[in-house]
Amino acid sequence: MTQIPTEPIGSIPRPAYLQDAMKAFSKSEIKEAELNTLFEKATLETIKELEATGSPVISDGEQSKPSFATYPIHGYPHLAADGVVIPFADGHTRQLPKITAGPFRYQTFASSYLEKAKRYTLLPVKQAVIAVSAISLLYPPEGIDGYAQAQFIVDLLDEAEKDIRKCLIGGAYNVQIDFTEARLALKLDPSKQLLNAFIELNNKVLDRFTEDERRRIGVHTCPGGDHDSTHSADIPYSELLPLLFKLKAGSFYLEYAAEKEKQSVLKSIKENLQPGQRVFLGVTDVLNPRIETAEEISELLIEASRIIPLNQLGSTDDCGFSPFADDISTARNIAFSKIKARVDGTALAEKKLNSR
Ligand SMILES: [Zn+2]
């Protein structure tokens, strides 16, 4: 009996009332307690809607995460706004903050989101954390007086390990490391030095876990998805995948539905996927509002199964549907419909493969 596991990436667009409340809070128009009540309401509603899609594994939709990348530093007292700028294909940018003093400590651990989500569902809950490589970009190139970069990295590795371990102990079905800067690293530095450095840094965290624990740890990468635009889709996967699969993780959640050269992507995955690793292919394009049919998703998976061993194959969405809290480019109902199509399409592929 063939089974193809299917999992979400994580984020779901926040409902309009929550967007409004977040704006009002930033202008001190409402109290934190009021905002927190709405975070809870949105989390509960999102979980119920995810359950209704039939998804066997769910997330909290990241309703109360400020963004997939910045939750650990939300409220960190030593921050300046002018950090690394990430340019997107449509011309818009996102700028990371930078830290101005140490010692560096996470202000929020992802397990706090997991703990709340688990109150609302009996289904397995997956929890996303940010890659240590992304947070490493917060240290300014000009350095910090009295807080060397080497010490920052020591502190950061400890915090990132805690972030994952708390989720594993807290009962996460699995933990997904969001590593969306992987492909971007190749764009910023075609010599691959930056990507190699990122992978080495992330492996320093993964090395702190046993093989058994690493089976519950995965990595997501994609060309970025914000306001329906990407930052590195022009970099071919074949450049990235040989290095990506060196990460000592059990699962890989890859953007795939929006890729044009699917055959070469599949071949590259097959060449580089290590024994014991599983690849979850994105079967829904999160940047395109058209809702995929279950039939076309099943065909996509069956086609992939001709190249990738079935016991190493799974399905997912290309990315989260709203990695930044203020991104409202995808409607909530579209996100849920796409997730339902993924769940139905994956079941259909299983059925077709089993009846052969
Ligand atoms: Zn992504």
Side-chain angles (χ1 to χ4, degrees):
M1 181 76 183
T2 296
Q3 280 202 321
I4 304 175
T6 189
E7 294 179 18
I9 293 296
S11 61
I12 299 286
R14 284 72 169 170
Y17 67 78
L18 186 57
Q19 300 272 350
D20 293 344
M22 287 191 297
K23 267 184 227 141
F25 178 69
S26 71
K27 291 187 243 161
S28 306
E29 290 167 9
I30 61 167
K31 296 231 159 60
E32 191 167 15
E34 192 178 332
L35 180 64
N36 284 338
T37 307
L38 295 177
F39 276 143
E40 293 277 320
K41 174 176 151 70
T43 302
L44 173 63
E45 286 172 2
T46 302
I47 283 176
K48 293 302 153 197
E49 293 214 54
L50 282 171
E51 286 182 340
T53 64
S55 189
V57 176
I58 62 168
S59 73
D60 70 346
E62 305 191 355
Q63 298 298 289
S64 55
K65 244 189 197 182
S67 88
F68 74 101
T70 58
Y71 70 89
I73 53 161
H74 199 63
Y76 187 70
H78 315 293
L79 285 181
D82 53 334
V84 173
V85 175
I86 301 168
F88 285 79
D90 65 357
H92 91 276
T93 59
R94 287 276 182 183
Q95 186 166 30
L96 296 176
K98 64 179 186 187
I99 61 163
T100 57
F104 183 71
R105 298 285 181 269
Y106 278 19
Q107 305 299 298
T108 302
F109 288 98
S111 56
S112 64
Y113 305 115
L114 172 73
E115 204 179 290
K116 287 188 188 128
K118 283 178 72 74
R119 282 188 220 146
Y120 297 134
T121 184
L122 295 172
L123 287 179
V125 179
K126 125 180 226 184
Q127 182 59 52
V129 300
I130 187 63
V132 74
S133 49
I135 302 292
S136 74
L137 298 171
L138 303 181
Y139 190 89
E142 66 272 18
I144 298 172
D145 257 356
Y147 190 50
Q149 187 168 22
Q151 186 57 49
F152 165 71
I153 295 294
V154 168
D155 292 342
L156 172 56
L157 290 173
D158 286 348
E159 295 298 284
E161 177 192 353
K162 262 186 246 167
D163 203 20
I164 296 172
R165 201 172 290 288
K166 278 167 169 279
C167 292
L168 293 176
I169 293 168
Y173 173 71
N174 56 24
V175 179
Q176 169 187 287
I177 299 172
D178 285 337
F179 184 32
T180 71
E181 67 280 15
R183 211 154 150 181
L184 181 65
L186 286 173
K187 184 163 181 168
L188 299 176
D189 175 13
S191 80
K192 299 187 181 166
Q193 263 184 2
L194 184 62
L195 179 60
N196 272 312
F198 279 173
I199 285 172
E200 201 181 311
L201 198 57
N202 288 318
N203 270 340
K204 279 188 182 157
V205 176
L206 288 164
D207 273 334
R208 297 182 179 194
F209 294 89
T210 64
E211 211 165 300
D212 257 4
E213 288 167 333
R214 287 202 295 255
R215 252 176 242 139
R216 283 169 66 201
I217 304 176
V219 174
H220 164 60
T221 196
C222 66
D226 183 32
H227 296 306
D228 286 347
S229 184
T230 61
H231 53 51
S232 52
D234 49 338
I235 302 295
Y237 250 144
S238 53
E239 298 277 307
L240 170 65
L241 293 173
L243 293 172
L244 187 75
F245 286 111
K246 287 189 177 167
L247 284 168
K248 295 172 187 168
S251 299
F252 290 80
Y253 304 90
L254 303 185
E255 178 262 2
Y256 175 73
E259 288 294 313
K260 288 193 184 79
E261 306 292 331
K262 290 197 167 56
Q263 285 299 312
S264 72
V265 174
L266 292 175
K267 279 184 197 131
S268 184
I269 291 171
K270 166 137 171 97
E271 271 165 34
N272 294 292
L273 191 64
Q274 311 284 321
Q277 291 180 333
R278 187 187 289 271
V279 62
F280 289 75
L281 295 177
V283 294
T284 51
D285 180 351
V286 300
L287 303 183
N288 184 340
R290 186 186 71 84
I291 293 155
E292 292 81 359
T293 65
E295 186 67 33
E296 71 179 282
I297 287 174
S298 76
E299 285 308 314
L300 206 62
L301 287 168
I302 289 167
E303 183 189 275
S305 74
R306 294 194 186 105
I307 296 180
I308 295 169
L310 256 177
N311 62 0
Q312 290 184 280
L313 183 63
S315 72
T316 184
D317 306 305
D318 266 8
C319 188
F321 287 92
S322 189
F324 294 89
D326 61 352
D327 179 7
I328 50 167
S329 54
T330 305
R332 261 169 88 83
N333 60 348
I334 293 178
F336 292 123
S337 300
K338 280 180 174 268
I339 290 171
K340 185 168 191 321
R342 166 170 57 75
V343 172
D344 293 348
T346 305
L348 186 59
E350 277 175 359
K351 198 172 144 199
K352 287 183 185 170
L353 287 164
N354 284 319
S355 66
R356 281 181 185 179

